[in-house]
Amino acid sequence: VRLGIGGDSGSGSANLSAQLANAAPGQTMQIRVRLSCLAAAGAPVDKLNRAFSLTASEPLRIEISDIRLAEGAPTDRCDP
């Protein structure tokens, strides 16, 4: 499962599979992805026109209640 953002000049995504692997049905969880990680993956974070995409290689059922751009903790890491 990948979370992506993009613009006319490219896009970038982060792998969320590890965070979602042990999620139980109905479990609430928070996942953070640093903008710097998405930028390192090619996302033009200064000129976005697609602020959110989610892709999966298999069928996926997920409920999303809140998406926001916010300053992250320095300990958040990038997953390839």
Side-chain angles (χ1 to χ4, degrees), residues 17-63:
S17 298
Q19 292 101 317
L20 296 173
N22 296 320
Q27 176 184 357
T28 299
M29 60 189 315
Q30 181 181 70
I31 297 176
R32 294 179 172 188
V33 178
R34 295 177 66 175
L35 283 178
S36 60
C37 298
L38 295 167
V45 295
D46 59 337
K47 295 183 181 179
L48 294 177
N49 62 16
R50 183 174 37 95
F52 173 79
S53 68
L54 194 63
T55 58
S57 59
E58 298 178 13
L60 173 71
R61 182 175 178 184
I62 190 168
E63 182 177 319

